[in-house]
Amino acid sequence: MPVRRSIVGIDSPARLAAALDAAQYLADDGLSTAGYLALALGKPLLLEGAPGVGKTEAAKAIASVLGRNLIRLQCYEGIDAAAALYEWNYPRQMLAIRQAGDTYLNIYGDDFLIARPMLDALRNPKDSVLLIDEIDRSDHEFEAFLLEFLSDFQISIPERGTVRAEEAPVVILTSNRTRELHEALRRRCVYHWIGYPDPMREAQIVMMRASTVARETADAVVAAVGRLRQEPLAKPPGVAETVEWAEAATLLHSQGSPWPTAFKRAIGVALKDQDDLEFVAPRIDALISGAAA
Ligand SMILES: Nc1ncnc2c1ncn2[C@@H]1O[C@H](COP(=O)(O)OP(=O)(O)O)[C@@H](O)[C@H]1O
Ligand SMILES: [Mg+2]
């Protein structure tokens, strides 16, 4: 298979993992391999997983490793091409027309074009990473439009002509999997499912992200969060919640709260849903048992 893009210094999954590590992101072998292949083959990287497992952060870290700007397109219900590509600045056009009088005016010049993330990425494929975040929030129509964009990396602006990228831009798509994505879209990408990190890795992430936290505290919080994720919660804690819970409990402990009370008192940074808190309340001691760091 032809390698379509060579990224300086990142010539293996292990190199990518090391670079991500230096950018404060701990990737496992599956993610660094998928990321490396996407870069090397010039394909979009599709990351799927539960909320809070590090999908958006992975895109940020990859952009940072490549020394590129992250251009983020946050998807939402009803997002359309105008929000993703470009819009004409009508008020400005109107004003200019009024002021121009009889003089010639190109109302489709750059001054009147508002570039949105996808056009931005097409124009600067060499120094940007395009993150299309949470595509599962968009509708099927937008997904079909995305597919077209990802197939040939060009768009047509009727008043201007076609804009084509000089090279395939680095594109990362994420989905929380609230719905299935089209087969055709998946086929276009290198796919990776991000699960919750294993306890060792999650404790390492806590230590990496929260410098005040002791190793025993990190281990205890990771164990408790692991148990919480086994429960039928509406909003299971993500990795960010693990980090914050460890930090918050450490703070309370430093102010005199003993273990494991400090964990209990700080539960509000791990669980942010009233029903979940009520559900967990009678079991809280068992869930954080052994959390006496
Ligand atoms: N592998 C990781 N290495 C370092 N930090 C991570 C990792 N995974 C998750 N995090 C932390 O968890 C937070 C939430 O991750 P995020 O990317 O927002 O989740 P998602 O986009 O999957 O919902 C990040 O801000 C980061 O602090
Ligand atoms: Mg995200």
Side-chain angles (χ1 to χ4, degrees), residues 20 23-28 31 48-60 72 133-134 174-176 194 197 201 204-206 208-209 238-241 243:
L20 288 171
Q24 299 259 295
Y25 188 91
L26 271 188
D28 62 13
L31 176 58
E48 248 186 351
V53 292
K55 302 180 296 295
T56 303
E57 197 70 14
K60 290 183 187 167
R72 180 175 183 178
D133 218 6
E134 304 186 346
T174 79
S175 165
N176 288 332
I194 304 192
R201 186 176 303 274
Q204 282 171 339
I205 294 171
V206 172
M208 180 183 245
R209 296 263 162 174
V239 178
E241 281 70 34
V243 175

Side-chain angles (χ1 to χ4, degrees), residues 71-171:
I71 301 176
R72 180 175 183 178
L73 176 65
Q74 171 65 53
C75 297
Y76 50 86
E77 212 184 313
I79 188 174
D80 61 3
L85 282 178
Y86 70 91
E87 278 172 288
W88 291 111
N89 189 336
Y90 289 120
R92 201 158 174 185
Q93 283 174 325
M94 291 306 148
L95 192 68
I97 289 168
R98 234 178 291 143
Q99 288 171 345
D102 289 339
T103 50
Y104 172 77
L105 170 73
N106 174 14
I107 58 162
Y108 296 118
D110 277 350
D111 283 354
F112 304 105
L113 183 67
I114 306 169
R116 299 298 184 205
M118 284 163 72
L119 178 57
D120 254 353
L122 281 192
R123 285 170 154 182
N124 307 294
K126 291 184 175 142
D127 40 44
S128 58
V129 169
L130 175 63
L131 165 62
I132 303 177
D133 218 6
E134 304 186 346
I135 40 176
D136 52 324
R137 288 178 183 238
S138 70
D139 45 43
H140 295 278
E141 202 185 340
F142 186 75
E143 213 182 306
F145 158 77
L146 262 186
L147 182 65
E148 213 180 295
F149 173 85
L150 295 175
S151 312
D152 39 7
F153 294 113
Q154 64 173 43
I155 60 161
S156 147
I157 302 180
E159 300 84 356
R160 296 267 296 251
T162 300
V163 183
R164 183 177 292 114
E166 280 172 65
E167 63 174 48
V170 175
V171 182

Side-chain angles (χ1 to χ4, degrees), residues 212-262:
T212 57
V213 173
R215 180 68 206 220
E216 301 74 45
T217 309
D219 287 339
V221 167
V222 165
V225 163
R227 282 183 218 114
L228 283 175
R229 287 179 189 146
Q230 308 284 317
E231 303 288 332
L233 301 177
K235 300 244 178 318
V239 178
E241 281 70 34
T242 314
V243 175
E244 281 171 27
W245 195 10
E247 251 177 336
T250 299
L251 177 64
L252 293 179
H253 181 66
S254 76
Q255 295 168 354
S257 201
W259 304 117
T261 310

Side-chain angles (χ1 to χ4, degrees), residues 170-209:
V170 175
V171 182
I172 301 174
L173 306 117
T174 79
S175 165
N176 288 332
R177 211 185 185 190
T178 54
R179 65 172 177 83
E180 286 292 322
L181 303 176
H182 278 300
E183 196 51 42
L185 187 74
R186 294 162 183 284
R187 228 180 292 130
R188 187 95 27 226
C189 304
V190 176
Y191 176 85
H192 181 68
W193 171 264
I194 304 192
Y196 291 114
D198 62 49
M200 267 271 275
R201 186 176 303 274
E202 191 159 11
Q204 282 171 339
I205 294 171
V206 172
M207 301 303 292
M208 180 183 245
R209 296 263 162 174

